[in-house]
């Protein structure tokens, strides 16, 4: 069995609908869904703000590479277009594999297609903040506890810009 933490983000089109579609596509592997956060763009400031969330998923048969394939399929279904000229540009949906944990512990990978844990997750308040909602005692392998990462620079400076949006719900209760 593997357990994965996936980050969801959208800043084009119906942002909330894209997040909802991703969550729906991840059922029945879905374990938990964070609240929605609105965040400024990361890496390329000349674009609309994002809606972000984090999900935790589990699957008895899935490998780390399977989670990446699922993420890419969901992005493609939601009309994701990759612009090779603009790495951190706008997108209908971005689904990043942040961590994968197998029965024997965290899956570590230096493969350029699937680096685990995600190589920039420890720098991204828009990943760490919603993840900490789901797993307050959570840890990012190789980097430490989520709570500590959220207090460390440069993330601590960015946390204030990660605005909770309790008025937006990805899924209904039940």
């Amino acid at each position: 069995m593997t357990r994965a933490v996936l980050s969801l983000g959208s800043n084009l089109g119906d942002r909330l609908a894209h997040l909802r579609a991703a969550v729906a596509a991840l059922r029945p592997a879905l374990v938990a869904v964070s609240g929605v956060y609105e965040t400024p763009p990361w890496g390329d400031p000349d674009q609309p703000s994002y809606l972000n969330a984090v999900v935790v998923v589990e699957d008895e048969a899935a490998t780390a590479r399977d989670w990446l394939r699922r993420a890419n399929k969901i992005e493609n279904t939601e009309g994701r277009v990759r612009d090779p000229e603009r790495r951190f540009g706008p997108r209908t949906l971005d689904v990043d594999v942040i961590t994968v944990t197998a029965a024997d512990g965290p899956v570590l990978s230096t493969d350029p297609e699937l680096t685990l844990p995600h190589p920039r997750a420890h720098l991204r308040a828009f990943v760490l903040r919603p993840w900490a909602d789901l797993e307050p005692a959570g840890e990012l392998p190789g980097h430490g506890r989520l709570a500590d990462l959220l207090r460390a620079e440069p993330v601590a400076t960015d946390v204030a810009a990660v605005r909770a949006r309790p008025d937006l719900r990805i899924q209904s209760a039940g």
Side-chain angles (χ1 to χ4, degrees):
M1 169 179 287
T2 60
R3 179 180 181 97
V5 174
L6 308 177
S7 173
L8 311 176
S10 174
N11 75 337
L12 291 178
D14 186 338
R15 301 174 303 165
L16 186 59
H18 293 305
L19 297 182
R20 286 177 173 159
V23 167
L26 289 164
R27 285 188 176 95
L30 198 61
V31 172
V33 181
S34 76
V36 176
Y37 287 83
E38 189 155 14
T39 63
W42 193 93
D44 181 348
D46 189 24
Q47 58 183 308
S49 64
Y50 278 81
L51 290 184
N52 292 98
V54 166
V55 298
V56 176
V57 288
E58 288 183 354
D59 187 320
E60 284 192 31
T63 65
R65 184 119 354 237
D66 291 332
W67 290 118
L68 178 62
R69 279 192 283 273
R70 288 182 192 185
N72 289 336
K73 181 178 180 186
I74 294 166
E75 289 175 341
N76 292 338
T77 299
E78 290 303 301
R80 167 82 185 261
V81 176
R82 296 182 189 278
D83 182 349
E85 304 289 319
R86 197 170 178 195
R87 181 173 183 194
F88 297 113
R91 58 217 46 197
T92 54
L93 183 64
D94 187 33
V95 181
D96 285 337
V97 180
I98 304 302
T99 66
V100 176
T101 305
D104 58 349
V107 176
L108 305 177
S109 171
T110 57
D111 183 330
E113 285 186 24
L114 181 60
T115 304
L116 290 171
H118 189 285
R120 290 171 299 282
H122 67 288
L123 300 172
R124 294 179 170 175
F126 65 84
V127 171
L128 299 172
R129 180 67 186 90
W131 183 9
D133 287 351
L134 298 178
E135 299 180 339
E139 291 191 28
L140 180 61
H143 295 281
R145 293 173 359 112
L146 301 179
D148 294 336
L149 292 171
L150 283 163
R151 286 191 298 267
E153 290 301 330
V155 175
T157 301
D158 294 339
V159 169
V162 178
R163 189 169 58 96
R165 292 292 308 269
D167 56 312
L168 303 178
R169 296 180 53 82
I170 293 177
Q171 61 181 11
S172 59

